[in-house]
Amino acid sequence: ISDEIYRFVFQQAETDLKVSQELHDKVTARSFTLLSIMIPVLTLIIGFMLKAEYNIQYLGLALKGSAASGIISLFILMYLVMPRSWMTIGESPKVIFTHQIIEQDLPKEELFKALLLGEIENLQYRIDFNNCQNKTRLIYLNIVFYIIGINIAAYCSLMLLN
């Protein structure tokens, strides 16, 4: 296989790893945004729940349910914004230049191909790992959106019934 093919595959793998990093950043940013909205709303709901007299039937139950689901959402969002294991682009020189590579008596071109092949395999492992992390994080973020949607639908139903 020619050097150009190795370089092409390497560049494509690097690009794919960058895309997974961008998705990671977007999920984290959305989680921060939702967290900054949820904290005051949840504080308002709990305060209203503790102080108000309920004139609307089932409003107390709806508020308690919203408070409970809001707390669950907060824990999920805090999990999403906390640091976690993640694989970034690049490799430490001490990992690239192992004794096995240095001690091999290979021509320059073959040594370069061996290094590129090793890094391509490493990039594929990182891509798979990051994609698995992103898939889990997106599931959790969707759960939070569903909880918010259910709460809004419950309040609208209560207001329409009374």
Side-chain angles (χ1 to χ4, degrees), residues 77-135:
L77 290 171
M78 288 181 352
Y79 166 76
L80 290 174
V81 298
M82 293 296 197
R84 69 198 39 77
S85 53
W86 188 255
M87 298 200 170
T88 59
I89 298 170
E91 190 65 79
S92 170
K94 69 180 179 181
V95 173
I96 294 174
F97 286 110
T98 62
H99 291 292
Q100 296 169 340
I101 297 288
I102 295 171
E103 293 173 0
Q104 287 182 359
D105 191 27
L106 294 173
K108 263 186 181 180
E109 292 175 10
E110 292 301 316
L111 182 60
F112 180 71
K113 286 181 182 179
L115 285 171
L116 264 181
L117 182 61
E119 192 56 27
I120 289 168
E121 290 171 352
N122 190 11
L123 282 170
Q124 184 59 53
Y125 174 75
R126 291 171 184 216
I127 289 166
D128 293 341
F129 182 85
N130 290 351
N131 285 342
C132 182
Q133 294 283 336
N134 280 337
K135 183 178 178 182

Side-chain angles (χ1 to χ4, degrees), residues 56-58 149-162:
I56 300 174
Q57 188 178 11
Y58 303 116
I150 289 169
N151 283 329
I152 291 171
Y155 280 119
C156 290
S157 301
L158 278 174
M159 296 305 152
L160 289 175
L161 289 175
N162 287 313

Side-chain angles (χ1 to χ4, degrees), residues 1-9 109-110 113 117 120:
I1 300 177
S2 70
D3 289 352
E4 290 81 28
I5 292 174
Y6 278 107
R7 286 187 178 128
F8 174 75
V9 171
E109 292 175 10
E110 292 301 316
K113 286 181 182 179
L117 182 61
I120 289 168

Side-chain angles (χ1 to χ4, degrees), residues 35 38-39 42 69-79:
L35 194 59
M38 292 280 297
I39 289 174
L42 188 59
S69 62
I71 290 170
I72 292 169
S73 296
L74 284 179
F75 280 114
I76 292 172
L77 290 171
M78 288 181 352
Y79 166 76

